[in-house]
Amino acid sequence: MASFSGFIRKSPPDRLRRFFEERSVDAPEGFDWASDGRGTALVRSIENLLSNLTDRQQDALKAELDHLASLADSNGLISAEQICAGQDIDIEGLEGVQDVLLTLSVNHPQVLDRVAAQTSLMRRTGGRNWSAFQFDDDGFPWALEDETARGSFLTDAIAILDLPDHRKREADWYKSIRVHPITGEETEIVQATIYVEERAESELAFGPSETLERQIVQKVLEVGIACNARGRVVEICARGGKKVRDEYAKSFAKHFAPHADAPVETPRREGLLDTLRQSPEFETEPADSIEKVEVSSLDCYSTGGGFCRFERRGDDENIYQFLERRFSGFSPLKASGWTITGATIRIVLTAREGQRRKTLTVTLRTPNTTTLPNKTEKDRHFVFDLLERWKLIAPPPKETAVVEVV
């Protein structure tokens, strides 16, 4: 867990003062809230202030500061920006992540809880407790605002977790705004954090009589859901393995997208689309049974704000030859100021005896969206292995331990 000392040293003086005032910590007149140099003097001064409180008050304040410090990184700042944009909370002009977190803790404590949940989701994206599911566009809008559907989905969550019906539960639904890191395009995300009363645990603790006693501690389990209705993608962060997250996806489809086919899991992998600035050599092996591989479309973005898409399919000329013929050195692949933000690749497999040729189509979009809808698990693994071989996606992220504060 991060220490609050560093958090205090980096916090704006006025915001820090307001934080302690709201928690009835009285500082003497002339108290210097500014961090000078390494900030050691300020940390010691604040620890002296806290020493005047009761032990319980000290523990509570230090725990809150530790919690804020655990969120004070790039993930925490991005989460705060996304959540606040969805809640119409203006944090423009605040002085960094410490300022943002202190402001939310004073003025919007519920929003701070959402930022914590979102930060946890971001840290786990691509990890073993996270899955994303791609839905086909069936032409019907998702019923994300339907209270009956929300209630039924929450009931299903209790059943999936195999917990008794009497366990307390609560679902916090809210909106956030994700901003594409290259194009600046905004996408509205509907999120839910499901809190469920988990099985109680027995722990040793010092009781009111100041002696060691065994107490029953009620734990809280969290499940995170992020819904991109426009892209038809649902992200699920939950313990219990792939089968459990598959059950959540099925329940989501049943209640919010009843007209859709079963969703397909799509691993989140960083796209390395700069590889496609030149015609790639798609290395294949006889065992792959691949007849042909082609880049059929490229999406490009200009620093001036322009978008363009080029599509080309056919045996006579590939997309690179087409761009060279039409634009030569002025094509977005060669001219300065252009970035590749998306690409579609078609993998044509060799026809087997008595069967038609099979084509696997995969779309890559920056920064980390890889869609391969309506394919079998075997096909998906095959394609992702190829994309790694061709250096079009980064290797899977290594799982890192994350300490949660509940």
Side-chain angles (χ1 to χ4, degrees), residues 20-218:
F20 282 101
E21 285 178 351
E22 288 292 321
R23 283 144 185 81
S24 301
V25 178
D26 297 324
E29 187 176 348
F31 185 90
D32 187 3
W33 292 97
S35 178
D36 183 19
R38 297 176 62 183
T40 305
L42 174 62
V43 173
R44 288 176 179 172
S45 297
I46 288 179
E47 287 179 338
N48 288 334
L49 281 181
L50 298 180
S51 66
N52 297 323
L53 304 176
T54 66
D55 291 343
R56 296 291 184 186
Q57 289 174 317
Q58 287 187 53
D59 289 344
L61 262 174
K62 289 179 179 179
E64 186 176 5
L65 287 169
D66 280 337
H67 178 50
L68 295 178
S70 72
L71 301 176
D73 59 13
S74 59
N75 286 326
L77 181 57
I78 293 172
S79 299
E81 290 171 344
Q82 293 177 351
I83 300 297
C84 290
Q87 309 300 305
D88 294 325
I89 297 173
D90 185 12
I91 59 173
E92 191 70 27
L94 296 183
E95 303 174 18
V97 64
Q98 290 80 16
D99 196 2
V100 170
L101 294 173
L102 287 170
T103 299
L104 294 179
S105 67
V106 171
N107 300 328
H108 307 282
Q110 184 184 22
V111 172
L112 182 65
D113 290 338
R114 292 172 176 174
V115 170
Q118 172 72 348
T119 303
S120 175
L121 177 63
M122 290 186 66
R123 289 171 179 168
R124 283 170 162 73
T125 295
R128 65 185 180 188
N129 290 328
W130 175 93
S131 295
F133 296 87
Q134 177 76 52
F135 286 75
D136 274 343
D137 189 351
D138 55 16
F140 292 90
W142 284 354
L144 295 175
E145 304 295 334
D146 189 318
E147 292 297 334
T148 300
R150 289 181 175 185
S152 299
F153 183 67
L154 182 56
T155 299
D156 280 0
I158 300 297
I160 292 170
L161 293 169
D162 193 24
L163 295 173
D165 290 338
H166 70 268
R167 292 289 168 83
K168 297 176 183 177
R169 80 289 305 263
E170 180 178 316
D172 181 24
W173 290 85
Y174 53 93
K175 293 179 181 178
S176 65
I177 303 294
R178 291 184 183 175
V179 179
H180 193 286
I182 296 175
T183 66
E185 182 181 13
E186 295 185 351
T187 301
E188 183 179 272
I189 305 295
V190 176
Q191 298 191 217
T193 304
I194 299 174
Y195 301 95
V196 180
E197 191 177 43
E198 201 178 7
R199 294 176 178 87
E201 294 183 4
S202 177
E203 296 180 356
L204 288 174
F206 284 98
S209 61
E210 303 298 328
T211 59
L212 200 60
E213 300 176 1
R214 184 162 294 280
Q215 299 182 357
I216 301 300
V217 179
Q218 191 67 58

Side-chain angles (χ1 to χ4, degrees), residues 321-340:
Q321 294 166 336
F322 166 78
L323 289 172
E324 178 65 25
R325 176 170 59 84
R326 298 293 299 185
F327 301 100
S328 187
F330 297 99
S331 84
L333 302 183
K334 296 182 178 180
S336 62
W338 288 91
T339 302
I340 300 176

